[in-house]
Amino acid sequence: MDLNFSSVWQYWPFLYNGALLTLKMTAICAVLGFALGVLLSLIKLSKFRPLVWFGQFYTSIFRGTPLLVQLCIVHFGLPQLLGMPLSTTQSGILTFSLNSAAYISEIFRGGIQAIDKGQYEAAMSLGIGYRDMMKDIIIPQAVKHILPSLVNEMIALLKESSILSYIGAVELLRAADQITVMTYRFFEPYLVVAVIYYVMVMILSLFAAKLERWVNRSDRVS
Amino acid sequence: MIEFRDVHKSFGKLEVLKGINFRVEKGQVVTLIGPSGSGKSTILRCINLLEQPTSGQVFIEGTDITAPKVDIQSIRKDIGMVFQHFNLFPHMTVMENMTYAPIRVNKVAKDAAKAKAMELLALVGLTEKADAYPNKLSGGQKQRIAIARALAMEPKIMLFDEPTSALDPEMVKEVLEVIKGLAHTGITMALVTHEMGFAREVSDRICFIDDGQILEDTTPDLFFANPKTDRAKAFLEKVL
């Protein structure tokens, strides 16, 4: 067996910058996807039929087509309509946020529907308006229940960000590609990248477990 | 204070209220009793529009709250409600449960809201639970907090929807004592309960409801000693 990791290490700035972009994209898209997802779930739960149809149609589009196809449409297709190019970062943020919103809205819808209707009635009987009721009473309880699903979605986002390499964004996977070109070695760069993804996911899971314990503090009996 | 004029309510094809007319004067305590499914909870829930009447009118202090464009929120904040299943907010401490709406809705200053909450906790005998989360409380304690939470809004009317039905028997008394303490303090009260002894003791009036109609509307002494309708007689024979 002929393994040579030192040739990979000499290009560590590539990996470092790639990992940084991966993390940055994941963080931005998670936040935007979350915000859009919450909004979309409220749209789907509204009493106004056309809004509900829009929400369902939106979700079916993003769930029914491959993420890579969506990315190509945004990055290569949209500029043709807009008459201006989109940077890989812009395309990435747009596609991943919109895509993530579709999934998160479904997670949220389930979480909100699982809240006992007595909670709504108690809030209403206290004169609390719809906005405050959702923001401070219903959604915080829903988030608690769906936290594990949200973490899964964030992990998926982090891993799927690797397809940004397809449109030329120099994230972690693309950084490995570049190292293979320069070193003519394949196994080592990709293995190292796999390990970096794995470590990032593990750190995220660990953080999520801590967060989960914190939000469940009100359930502790002693 | 509260007036119903020919209130009907249907859920789909099922007509639950079949023309309810009744009045509750300021400061009065009125108890609605009757078999389950008779519509008594629905009457209570029409008072703060948790149920919207299908037809008819409900007046609160002279305002027709069933009229279009009525600001339901501003009416609800003056009507406290206590539910069978407490419905405390589980992610908030007792103190947060009791101060959220006063601060948010009534725009009371935070310190004033807290002071008021402590006063009410003293009233229900649970000062030491201010920082506890609801799931650390017993059923009776939860219900006393729920009553205190409703009172924190300084409501003119209090509605009690079977407040002791979900409690273990040994906890019923502590909750009834709190409710009894509120009666005849100037607050208008409407109750739905199966505790007949309590209803007799605390009420100014009893309304007997069966099949979506008020069959009797009289004083507790007259009702329990001498019910007029056969259905009320049959009901009392079963429950007393």
Side-chain angles (χ1 to χ4, degrees):
Chain A
M1 234 182 359
D2 166 36
L3 288 178
N4 182 357
F5 284 98
S6 61
S7 61
V8 177
W9 285 133
Q10 83 188 79
Y11 294 105
W12 72 266
F14 280 73
L15 294 172
Y16 176 75
N17 289 327
L20 226 52
L21 183 64
T22 293
L23 284 176
K24 201 177 88 183
M25 294 297 281
T26 306
I28 293 173
C29 296
V31 170
L32 288 177
F34 183 84
L36 284 173
V38 171
L39 203 68
L40 194 58
S41 69
L42 293 178
I43 281 177
K44 284 190 215 170
L45 291 168
S46 82
K47 289 202 173 79
F48 188 52
R49 283 268 134 209
L51 271 182
V52 178
W53 291 327
F54 166 78
Q56 288 170 344
F57 179 68
Y58 178 98
T59 306
S60 77
I61 294 292
F62 279 93
R63 286 211 296 198
T65 58
L67 183 54
L68 190 50
V69 174
Q70 294 162 19
L71 186 63
C72 288
I73 290 175
V74 169
H75 188 65
F76 303 119
L78 261 191
Q80 188 188 319
L81 301 182
L82 297 174
M84 61 166 207
L86 290 173
S87 73
T88 52
T89 318
Q90 287 169 334
S91 304
I93 290 173
L94 195 58
T95 312
F96 279 86
S97 302
L98 293 179
N99 181 281
S100 190
Y103 285 93
I104 288 178
S105 74
E106 278 302 289
I107 296 173
F108 245 95
R109 191 173 60 93
I112 288 174
Q113 282 175 329
I115 303 296
D116 181 60
K117 83 178 195 333
Q119 292 289 309
Y120 291 87
E121 292 183 347
M124 286 191 284
S125 77
L126 288 164
I128 298 169
Y130 180 80
R131 261 185 82 115
D132 284 340
M133 175 173 75
M134 294 312 281
K135 179 168 71 70
D136 295 329
I137 313 290
I138 305 300
I139 290 177
Q141 293 185 59
V143 167
K144 213 170 99 173
H145 296 302
I146 63 177
L147 200 61
S149 310
L150 285 178
V151 171
N152 276 345
E153 175 58 25
M154 196 160 164
I155 288 172
L157 207 53
L158 186 124
K159 292 190 295 182
E160 280 167 2
S161 70
S162 60
I163 71 166
L164 284 171
S165 61
Y166 185 83
I167 60 169
V170 191
E171 41 64 74
L172 196 49
L173 180 59
R174 186 72 169 184
D177 288 341
Q178 290 178 335
I179 295 173
T180 65
V181 173
M182 290 180 284
T183 60
Y184 300 106
R185 305 198 70 89
F186 295 89
F187 187 75
E188 297 91 335
Y190 288 131
L191 184 70
V192 167
V193 160
V195 169
I196 296 175
Y197 273 117
Y198 180 75
V199 169
M200 289 197 293
V201 169
M202 284 305 115
I203 291 172
L204 195 60
S205 310
L206 220 70
F207 175 70
K210 274 222 160 84
L211 187 65
E212 218 167 305
R213 232 170 297 144
W214 184 74
V215 298
N216 286 329
R217 68 198 181 286
S218 62
D219 294 343
R220 261 173 263 147
V221 177
S222 55
Chain B
M1 195 74 182
I2 307 170
E3 186 182 355
F4 277 51
R5 282 190 203 158
D6 195 30
V7 169
H8 291 254
K9 174 69 188 176
S10 302
F11 294 107
K13 281 190 180 136
L14 183 72
E15 192 175 31
V16 185
L17 300 183
K18 300 172 178 173
I20 299 292
N21 290 289
F22 93 128
R23 290 172 64 95
V24 183
E25 305 304 332
K26 189 170 174 2
Q28 261 194 343
V29 179
V30 173
T31 302
L32 311 174
I33 63 176
S36 55
S38 59
K40 50 197 189 313
S41 281
T42 308
I43 294 178
L44 212 61
R45 292 161 60 85
C46 282
I47 297 174
N48 64 353
L49 292 190
L50 285 186
E51 302 294 353
Q52 187 82 38
T54 313
S55 70
Q57 292 162 297
V58 178
F59 294 85
I60 303 292
E61 288 192 296
T63 308
D64 181 0
I65 62 167
T66 46
K69 287 194 183 163
V70 162
D71 182 3
I72 297 177
Q73 248 170 271
S74 73
I75 289 163
R76 280 184 183 146
K77 72 181 173 55
D78 293 331
I79 306 178
M81 186 161 199
V82 175
F83 301 86
Q84 184 178 355
H85 295 287
F86 330 129
N87 299 342
L88 293 177
F89 305 133
H91 61 302
M92 294 183 179
T93 63
V94 164
M95 183 52 83
E96 288 163 348
N97 263 281
M98 293 179 63
T99 53
Y100 179 83
I103 293 171
R104 249 354 240 226
V105 181
N106 281 356
K107 312 286 180 209
V108 174
K110 208 175 166 185
D111 290 341
K114 280 190 172 174
K116 174 86 188 168
M118 286 313 291
E119 238 174 74
L120 290 166
L121 282 176
L123 180 76
V124 299
L126 289 170
T127 10
E128 76 283 4
K129 298 293 182 189
D131 296 318
Y133 282 99
N135 80 324
K136 283 173 202 153
L137 308 174
S138 71
Q141 291 174 331
K142 280 182 194 167
Q143 195 62 301
R144 281 144 69 194
I145 298 293
I147 294 170
R149 176 176 72 175
L151 289 173
M153 291 295 283
E154 305 192 322
K156 296 175 188 140
I157 299 171
M158 280 288 281
L159 310 174
F160 295 86
D161 189 4
E162 302 198 22
T164 58
S165 298
L167 296 176
D168 291 334
E170 74 270 24
M171 292 171 183
V172 169
K173 203 175 158 215
E174 66 189 55
V175 171
L176 293 183
E177 286 301 324
V178 170
I179 299 174
K180 208 183 292 175
L182 291 175
H184 308 112
T185 57
I187 197 162
T188 308
M189 288 170 44
L191 296 107
V192 170
T193 184
H194 295 293
E195 301 287 335
M196 292 303 147
F198 173 70
R200 183 169 193 166
E201 186 182 345
V202 82
S203 314
D204 296 308
R205 268 167 54 210
I206 301 278
C207 289
F208 176 72
I209 321 249
D210 193 19
D211 197 26
Q213 287 168 313
I214 296 180
L215 298 186
E216 302 204 20
D217 183 347
T218 179
T219 64
D221 288 340
L222 280 174
F223 177 75
F224 284 104
N226 193 11
K228 280 179 290 188
T229 58
D230 291 340
R231 273 193 274 183
K233 277 177 202 154
F235 175 76
L236 284 176
E237 264 166 39
K238 274 183 221 154
V239 296
L240 289 181

